[in-house]
Amino acid sequence: MRKTQWFDFRDFLHKPSLSSSIKPRPFKVYSFVPFSPVAMLDPTILTVGGIVLGIAFIEQILNRWGVIDLVDQFAKVMRFILPVTFYGALIYFFATFMF
């Protein structure tokens, strides 16, 4: 049976308690999500992403310059390359990620 501690109201408000009434209990913590955002800093994924962003940036510059025929060709190619690159990088990420 636990011993009940009694405090005077004025002592309780003006003095900090010297002894803790709650004893810490050790417990183990497990993570059910084996994913770290740092894992996305893989050089291969960053390189592929940089290349795709570079091509999209070049396409926007060509669009501003008014070279519409070349922009249409880029758009046709990128319509195929972007999804293939995304799914390829996703498969590569999960294939090389250590669970």
Side-chain angles (χ1 to χ4, degrees):
M1 189 170 221
R2 288 187 175 186
K3 181 180 177 184
T4 305
Q5 294 181 356
W6 291 95
F7 295 104
D8 187 16
F9 183 71
R10 288 185 182 158
D11 290 339
F12 177 74
L13 287 179
H14 296 296
K15 281 196 250 178
S17 177
L18 297 176
S19 64
S20 176
S21 61
I22 300 173
K23 295 180 181 177
R25 297 180 182 155
F27 60 92
K28 295 181 181 179
V29 177
Y30 296 100
S31 174
F32 293 106
V33 181
F35 178 74
S36 171
V38 179
M40 293 298 287
L41 296 177
D42 184 29
T44 306
I45 292 178
L46 290 177
T47 303
V48 170
I51 291 170
V52 170
L53 285 175
I55 292 172
F57 187 68
I58 290 171
E59 183 181 355
Q60 290 298 318
I61 290 174
L62 290 174
N63 193 13
R64 286 185 185 174
W65 287 350
V67 189
I68 303 300
D69 295 335
L70 197 56
V71 172
D72 286 339
Q73 293 299 323
F74 265 103
K76 288 177 185 175
V77 171
M78 293 303 285
R79 194 173 297 148
F80 173 75
I81 289 178
L82 282 177
V84 169
T85 305
F86 171 74
Y87 289 118
L90 195 64
I91 290 169
Y92 171 79
F93 174 72
F94 284 116
T96 59
F97 183 65
M98 299 306 243
F99 286 100

